[in-house]
Amino acid sequence: MAQRAVWLISHEPGTPLCGTVRFSRRYPTVEKRAKVFNGTSYVPIPEDGPFLKALLFELRLLDDDKDFVASRDSCSHINKTSVYGLLVGGGELWPVVAFLKNNMIYACVPLVEQTLSPRPPLISISGISQSFELLFGIQDFLYLGQKNDTELNTKLNQLPDLLLQACPFGTLLDANLQNSLDSINFASVTHPQKQPAWKVGTYKGKPQVSISITEKVKSMQYDKQDIADTWQVVGAVTCKCDLEGIMPNVTISLSLPTNGSPLQDILVHPCVTSLDSAILTSSSIDAMDDSAFSGPYKFPFTPPLESFNLCYYTSQVPVPPILGFYQMKEEEIQVKITVNLKLHESVKNNFEFCEARIPFYNRGPITHVECKVSFGQLEVFREKSLLIWIIGQKFPKSMEISLSGTVTFGAKSHEKQPFDEICIGGTAYLKLHFRILDYTLTGCYADQHSVQVFASGKPKISTHRKLISSDYYIWNSKAPAPVTYGSLLLISYCFGDIHRLLYHP
């Protein structure tokens, strides 16, 4: 008996969506079991938005829902059990246990340990009775002694920690959530705070919390049919918490937009006190599907005095931010080059800087350059055999720019000219360098209003984010692509990041 997911939804007639998801929790380990048990009849748990719309429609709680719908309103579909089937993502999610009480909709999806086609009788599904027990327990906890919205919000904020104890990994252990709250409070009373050994002092001054999200995008592009382009995003969340007290507690939530790319391979700082199992099980090794956890990612922690990296993550974004084409043809002492760059339409077109560096290895110094650029300006470093195409802060409205021309070289001087064992003959690359402020490729952001601080004084909260290129290569499409080198290079960078995270945090 286990639950795949739990929701609390406030019913708000007159608003555009007629409701708001106040709390949701998914259990990825249970979801994997459901996929095995249900077989071809398996329907994944949807995101909060589609689930909210489908549930309100099924419960007849939408403001404009006045038309007769045969699949829902006919006499043959009279529901007396509070168990529903929701049309989501091209399939029917069943069984969904849901009921409305005090303008709050309580809903969850129990695990059915068999195929769903044909539907088994409800009495044979033991998880349904556990669903009701869990939802009634949450209802009692929320409204027992509750006097106003502030108290309700406080209890909603306590739910994640309470469910970690009362319903770990989706299995209900105790429906009386007050017992879990009492045990947490008892532990805090019987173990008074004392200065931890790793914290050398305490902060005195104006309270403030600073959160910075930095994403680095890596890419290897070949423009070849037989070799796939590769790219990856590696992110880091850096925090600096100036808070008074011996052990202040902070909770930061990272969120994604509707079309954001889920965070994976998440590594957290040792000061993080607890984590949702969905955060720990999201891995880039697994194939992406609709059931991938997409947040919010909550990190409760007790911060150290210094600035620290709260967490690291990777993400599989659908496309690289800049698509490139580079072609170089050798003709005796000169080469003909053609470069096309295109900024993807979804990327913020406002750079702090953007430039393309085109090195020429194992050749003499540049003696003559005859190139035309459609945008920006070209700088020539003759002794270094290097061209730098300064694109600037914006791409043109077409989002596409080009460079073409010829570069002539003089006699080689091995002492001064750049040498590379890989870039021999036509094997060459272009490397992009750019930075975009107030933007992340995944869409990840930290909402300052969702940051919870349990310490004396009201802190000033500031959030920042930026996207930086890192090892962003576009290889000459006319040369034999350095497959081994390119693949090993990207892998070595990825493993280098992981090594630094594990051994040099």
Side-chain angles (χ1 to χ4, degrees):
M1 294 187 296
Q3 306 301 313
R4 294 169 60 186
V6 182
W7 291 268
L8 295 183
I9 300 170
S10 61
H11 180 219
E12 302 168 354
T15 60
L17 298 178
C18 296
T20 302
V21 177
R22 302 292 300 275
F23 172 82
S24 65
R25 167 65 60 86
R26 292 164 176 77
Y27 295 97
T29 53
V30 182
E31 193 66 14
K32 291 184 178 180
R33 291 164 58 194
K35 198 170 185 178
V36 173
F37 282 124
N38 300 159
T40 57
S41 59
Y42 167 77
V43 176
I45 297 293
E47 295 296 322
D48 288 347
F51 180 84
L52 170 66
K53 185 176 181 180
L55 182 61
L56 292 178
F57 172 79
E58 187 64 28
L59 296 178
R60 304 174 179 85
L61 295 177
L62 295 173
D63 290 343
D64 57 352
D65 189 13
K66 299 178 181 180
D67 297 331
F68 176 82
V69 180
S71 61
R72 181 196 64 186
D73 301 326
S74 67
C75 294
S76 60
H77 291 85
I78 295 177
N79 193 306
K80 298 180 180 180
T81 61
S82 295
V83 178
Y84 303 90
L86 305 185
L87 296 177
V88 291
E92 184 179 34
L93 181 65
W94 182 91
V96 179
V97 177
F99 60 85
L100 175 66
K101 186 73 173 180
N102 296 327
N103 288 326
M104 185 74 76
I105 303 171
Y106 301 80
C108 64
V109 180
L111 173 66
V112 181
E113 298 180 348
Q114 63 188 88
T115 182
L116 300 177
S117 181
R119 284 186 182 179
L122 294 181
I123 197 171
S124 67
I125 305 174
S126 56
I128 289 182
S129 59
Q130 188 187 77
S131 297
F132 280 107
E133 187 178 6
L134 172 61
L135 295 179
F136 285 139
I138 295 175
Q139 177 191 338
D140 292 341
F141 169 73
L142 292 181
Y143 289 97
L144 183 63
Q146 185 257 330
K147 299 177 182 178
N148 51 48
D149 290 341
T150 302
E151 292 185 11
L152 177 61
N153 292 333
T154 300
K155 291 187 174 183
L156 286 172
N157 290 332
Q158 293 172 337
L159 273 182
D161 292 334
L162 296 181
L163 287 183
L164 284 176
Q165 291 198 10
C167 192
F169 299 103
T171 301
L172 184 62
L173 300 181
D174 187 358
N176 189 340
L177 299 189
Q178 190 63 41
N179 290 341
S180 299
L181 181 62
D182 292 341
S183 65
I184 294 175
N185 292 337
F186 177 76
S188 63
V189 171
T190 54
H191 297 86
Q193 288 185 343
K194 62 180 181 180
Q195 188 82 8
W198 54 266
K199 197 168 187 179
V200 296
T202 57
Y203 172 79
K204 294 291 184 182
K206 188 176 181 179
Q208 53 187 357
V209 175
S210 176
I211 306 165
S212 177
I213 303 175
T214 301
E215 289 187 352
K216 295 183 178 181
V217 57
K218 307 171 186 288
S219 182
M220 290 281 179
Q221 299 180 34
Y222 305 102
D223 194 45
K224 289 180 176 289
Q225 293 183 350
D226 56 336
I227 303 175
D229 295 343
T230 58
W231 59 89
Q232 186 188 42
V233 172
V234 178
V237 180
T238 304
C239 297
K240 180 70 167 70
C241 301
D242 296 326
L243 301 170
E244 293 186 347
I246 296 175
M247 294 283 283
N249 292 311
V250 180
T251 298
I252 290 177
S253 296
L254 302 181
S255 302
L256 297 174
T258 304
N259 59 345
S261 301
L263 310 186
Q264 300 171 321
D265 306 322
I266 297 175
L267 297 176
V268 299
H269 191 275
C271 72
V272 175
T273 55
S274 64
L275 275 180
D276 192 317
S277 60
I279 295 178
L280 295 174
T281 56
S282 180
S283 171
S284 59
I285 298 176
D286 300 329
M288 292 288 290
D289 55 37
D290 293 337
S291 63
F293 182 67
S294 57
Y297 305 84
K298 293 189 177 182
F299 301 92
F301 61 94
T302 300
L305 292 176
E306 68 278 3
S307 176
F308 69 101
N309 291 317
L310 176 65
C311 70
Y312 299 89
Y313 60 84
T314 66
S315 184
Q316 301 177 39
V317 294
V319 292
I322 298 178
L323 293 169
F325 167 81
Y326 177 39
Q327 186 177 99
M328 185 184 80
K329 295 180 181 180
E330 289 187 288
E331 295 181 356
E332 297 181 352
I333 62 171
Q334 68 176 203
V335 296
K336 288 186 176 181
I337 61 173
T338 302
V339 180
N340 295 320
L341 299 177
K342 180 178 181 180
L343 180 68
H344 193 268
E345 59 185 9
S346 64
V347 178
K348 180 180 179 181
N349 188 13
N350 190 2
F351 295 81
E352 184 179 15
F353 66 86
C354 181
E355 64 183 32
R357 298 191 176 192
I358 310 174
F360 299 96
Y361 292 102
N362 311 316
R363 303 175 189 275
I366 296 175
T367 59
H368 181 69
V369 175
E370 187 174 340
C371 289
K372 179 182 179 181
V373 294
S374 66
F375 192 80
Q377 63 185 43
L378 188 66
E379 293 188 356
V380 181
F381 294 82
R382 298 180 184 276
E383 293 300 321
K384 295 182 179 180
S385 299
L386 173 68
L387 300 183
I388 298 182
W389 182 10
I390 300 176
I391 299 167
Q393 296 181 328
K394 282 183 179 292
F395 273 61
K397 290 183 179 180
S398 65
M399 299 296 186
E400 297 184 27
I401 57 177
S402 62
L403 178 155
S404 61
T406 60
V407 181
T408 306
F409 302 91
K412 290 184 181 180
S413 175
H414 295 290
E415 295 180 358
K416 296 181 179 180
Q417 301 311 126
F419 172 78
D420 188 275
E421 295 180 354
I422 300 297
C423 296
I424 298 174
T427 302
Y429 65 81
L430 171 153
K431 187 176 182 181
L432 281 172
H433 298 260
F434 58 82
R435 179 184 296 159
I436 307 177
L437 300 181
D438 194 27
Y439 176 79
T440 53
L441 200 56
T442 61
C444 179
Y445 66 94
D447 184 1
Q448 61 182 15
H449 300 293
S450 68
V451 177
Q452 299 176 348
V453 178
F454 303 94
S456 59
K458 185 177 181 180
K460 176 184 177 182
I461 298 174
S462 59
T463 60
H464 313 275
R465 56 180 185 161
K466 59 186 174 183
L467 174 68
I468 303 175
S469 64
S470 173
D471 311 314
Y472 205 103
Y473 293 91
I474 300 169
W475 292 88
N476 179 16
S477 62
K478 280 296 182 182
V483 182
T484 304
Y485 174 69
S487 302
L488 289 177
L489 186 63
L490 188 59
I491 292 171
S492 67
Y493 284 133
C494 294
F495 276 95
D497 283 339
I498 294 174
H499 182 274
R500 285 192 293 274
L501 303 185
L502 293 176
Y503 300 106
H504 303 284

